[in-house]
Amino acid sequence: ACALGRPPPPRAAVRCEAAGSCFSAHLANGSYIDARSDCGRRRGGLAWVSSEPELRLLLGLLAEAAARTAPSLFWVGLKRNASACTDAGQPLRGFSWESSGGGAAPWEVPAALGRWAKEPVRSCLTSRCAGLHLAAGAAPGGGPSWGWKE
């Protein structure tokens, strides 16, 4: 999932919110590094989410893109450096948003964004990446069933 600058590239599956955040979804099997490079070639960076409206926009786009392939894992800019420990008391469990493209990644994370499909491995020794996991079916209250997954 890429966060794009305006205007978005032609023929991409793109959704934008009025405030200016744009996201695109790309289906491919690849690593976090591959996904980051692919987003860079599209004049963007791996997506990061700073609010519930942005999350809803991204989830709608990804659910549409993965309609026939759920469950799916989409790489986003969520990473934990080797020097950071897993922190079960934080919504992102010690992970943080990797900033790119000159943008400043948000430091504050609303608690509602702290849903994990599977809790990350407790560690302080290795760098880890996390993606946005979409499961088949709907979540309570509507919308796709989702969670972060290491």
Side-chain angles (χ1 to χ4, degrees):
C2 301
L4 303 172
R6 287 191 183 251
R11 294 183 314 243
V14 175
R15 288 211 182 153
C16 299
E17 66 174 355
S21 298
C22 291
F23 298 103
S24 65
H26 308 276
L27 300 179
N29 288 324
S31 69
Y32 182 90
I33 300 298
D34 294 339
R36 186 171 52 188
S37 294
D38 288 347
C39 287
R41 282 193 292 278
R42 291 178 170 89
R43 300 182 316 225
L46 284 172
W48 34 268
V49 181
S50 59
S51 68
E52 290 181 63
E54 280 184 351
L55 176 65
R56 284 191 299 274
L57 180 76
L58 182 58
L59 286 173
L61 173 67
L62 298 180
E64 186 178 298
R68 291 178 296 279
T69 60
S72 299
L73 180 70
F74 290 91
W75 289 121
V76 293
L78 196 52
K79 189 174 182 181
R80 188 184 71 221
N81 295 324
S83 60
C85 295
T86 306
D87 184 349
Q90 295 296 317
L92 296 181
R93 308 297 192 264
F95 285 76
S96 59
W97 297 109
E98 180 178 58
S99 63
S100 63
W107 289 101
E108 294 292 322
V109 177
L113 302 186
R115 182 185 302 174
W116 286 80
K118 182 180 178 186
E119 285 294 323
V121 175
R122 296 182 66 81
S123 171
C124 299
L125 303 174
T126 59
S127 295
R128 302 293 293 187
C129 306
L132 183 54
H133 180 262
L134 293 183
S145 180
W146 70 278
W148 307 116
K149 190 172 182 183
E150 190 174 46

